[in-house]
Amino acid sequence: MTDQPSVADRLAVVRNRIAAAGGDRSRVRIVAVTKGFGPEAARDALALGLTDLGESYAQELVAKASTLAADVPTGGPSPRWHFIGRLQSNKVRHLASVVDCWQSVDRGSLIEAIARHSPGAHVLIQVNVSGESQKGGCAPEDGARLVDLASEQGLVVDGLMAVGRTGPAAEARAGFALLRDLADRLGLAECSMGMSHDLEVAVAEGATMVRIGEGLFGPRPLSPGRVRAAPGPAN
């Protein structure tokens, strides 16, 4: 029986994949998606210098943020928490004290809730570039309006975010190209796109941020009675 790759080994692979796709490993930010893993995954990421951590579920994020806050030594690296899952407006106030970047902002009511509970917060506007109804995000033609609304509400719009089309990685290319083009037209620097299975396509199309879960930490543990699902919205 062989040893499983360590997080450090997997991180080296991810960085090599970024470079092979034409990305600058020092400029394409890796958001380590710890959803479904215990706090040890977040600790491992921090130990390797990955301070951008992503979570999709409010309760899980609050619990991990509390655990890590107690662990981080004085002067040590602190996590920068990204909320990357679908978000209900009524959850914002519970998350406002821990979220550093809200990545899945896709409607006016959510913008208003974030502005109310986390004034001046950093956000990404999520755009549905695949046309799949099961995925979050505003329609591409609504992106500019939401960027303007968020700015008017005092939020800092760093860029755009999208989830690639389900299926072979190559099928996500058109959507990623659309997102990069929209970001450029709106004068936004950040493009959060690409996950463990399609990061090469995303990087080739101009991703500045990739969201990697299983590519760093291995398969997510399964709860009793659950079956493994297709890749989720941000892993």
Side-chain angles (χ1 to χ4, degrees), residues 75-203:
S78 297
R80 183 171 188 264
W81 290 104
H82 297 244
F83 194 85
I84 57 177
R86 283 197 172 184
L87 180 61
Q88 296 175 324
S89 298
N90 62 3
K91 299 289 187 183
V92 170
R93 66 185 181 91
H94 301 293
L95 295 168
S97 64
V98 295
V99 172
D100 297 285
C101 180
W102 307 80
Q103 285 212 23
S104 51
V105 179
D106 61 359
R107 59 195 185 279
S109 60
L110 188 52
I111 288 171
E112 291 168 2
I114 294 171
R116 182 165 60 252
H117 295 290
S118 186
H122 288 257
V123 303
L124 302 180
I125 301 300
Q126 183 176 0
V127 181
N128 187 324
V129 297
S130 70
E132 296 170 288
S133 60
Q134 73 271 26
K135 292 195 168 93
C138 68
E141 58 269 23
D142 287 337
R145 178 182 63 83
L146 290 182
V147 167
D148 288 344
L149 178 60
S151 297
E152 290 166 3
Q153 293 281 327
L155 301 179
V156 179
V157 183
D158 291 329
L160 305 178
M161 178 268 221
V163 179
R165 186 171 184 81
T166 303
E171 293 188 6
R173 184 176 299 277
F176 291 157
L178 187 158
L179 192 77
R180 181 71 260 178
D181 178 67
L182 181 57
D184 290 343
R185 287 191 282 115
L186 295 175
L188 300 171
E190 296 284 7
C191 264
S192 173
M193 57 189 191
M195 301 186 293
S196 296
H197 71 289
D198 59 8
L199 76 85
E200 285 89 353
V201 176
V203 169

